[in-house]
Every structure is written in C-alpha cells, then in structure tokens.
Amino acid sequence: MATHPPSFRSRGRGARRRLPRALGSVAVALTAVALTGCGASAAREDGATDAGRRFTTAVAAGDYRAGCELLAPETRDEVEEDAKGPCGPALQQLGLPRAGAARGVDVYGRQALLRMTGDTLFLSLFDDGWKVVAAGCEPQAEDEPYRCSLKGS
C-alpha cells in the first residue's frame, strides 16, 4: 500500500519541504531558530543520517532482520499486519529502492527527513535512538504528501 507519512509534505520536485499545517507553531519556532543561526545539532543530524544509512545498507545486503530492528514500532507493526506475517519476509517483498549516498538531512525536533540518492526516508527519535518511520518515499505534486511504499500509521 503506497501512502504517506504524516510528517512532511512536498512542494514539488526540488522545492523545500514543509511541515503540515497542524504543526504551524512548530514551523514558526523552527523559522525563528533558523534565523538566529541555531538549528538541529550536528549530533542529531548525524544520528538520523546514520540510522537511515544502517537501514538502507541492511536492506540492500538482504539482512531484513536488521532492517526490521531499525523500524519504528508502529511501522514494523504495520508491515507485519499488511503482510500477515513476520517483518523480515514482508520487508523483502516491498522491494524498496536501492539508496545511495546521503544528500541531505533536515531535523525538526524528534523527526527527520533524510534525502538519499534513490530514496527518501522519514525517521523519528525514540529513547533507544533514531528509527525509520517511512522509506521508499517520493515527493508528489506541490503541497501533496510524499508517497511511501513503507510507512507506519
């Protein structure tokens, strides 16, 4: 099932991404932070990027068990529910695109958008680290949500 994560919306190819309207006050706060020269810490950006790379590397290597361990709990549950079976084989059947080098990461509080060559991932920060919420994501028309082949509720 190809749907979108609720976190980010597309504004067309190559355009800046924005948070949905429901997070308007957060977007205003982020703008204020950006204008003052402060943003997400390098450690948070590196953590999200590293988690995304570990996920895409595991999937590319056929280590679907490791890939499943890097999924957010709700995402893993949805993968298993949709497949009516364990996460590993279900993740393999999704046929996620092969991701290359990280091209950029945007961190918004506890959420991140990681753009990689060949794929875009959404991640969330949990107590035990960054986890993949959605992968296989492609931007759609202006103001439309991303379409993702792997996503949680």
Side-chain angles (χ1 to χ4, degrees):
M1 166 161 74
T3 58
H4 62 84
S7 305
F8 296 82
R9 297 197 183 261
S10 169
R11 293 179 65 187
R13 290 220 179 262
R16 289 278 302 160
R17 310 297 183 242
R18 69 175 178 87
L19 294 168
R21 289 182 195 105
L23 297 176
S25 61
V26 173
V28 170
L30 288 173
T31 301
V33 167
L35 291 175
T36 62
C38 301
S41 73
R44 289 169 76 84
E45 290 175 352
D46 291 347
T49 301
D50 180 59
R53 283 185 183 143
R54 285 185 290 122
F55 173 78
T56 58
T57 299
V59 170
D63 189 352
Y64 299 106
R65 181 175 174 257
C68 288
E69 290 174 6
L70 293 165
L71 294 176
E74 288 182 11
T75 302
R76 184 178 178 145
D77 289 349
E78 187 158 325
V79 167
E80 291 176 340
E81 184 178 313
D82 287 350
K84 296 178 178 44
C87 179
L91 189 58
Q92 180 180 12
Q93 290 176 359
L94 285 173
L96 293 172
R98 186 172 291 267
R103 295 184 352 224
V105 62
D106 295 317
V107 176
Y108 302 97
R110 298 180 66 83
Q111 297 182 324
L113 167 73
L114 175 61
R115 290 175 304 285
M116 303 179 83
T117 303
D119 199 2
T120 300
L121 286 75
F122 292 87
L123 299 99
S124 287
L125 182 58
F126 291 83
D127 290 341
D128 60 343
W130 288 96
K131 301 286 185 174
V132 175
V133 174
C137 301
E138 296 180 15
Q140 301 302 300
E142 186 173 332
D143 265 356
E144 291 294 319
Y146 276 79
R147 181 155 307 202
C148 299
S149 54
L150 167 69
K151 62 114 188 137
S153 323

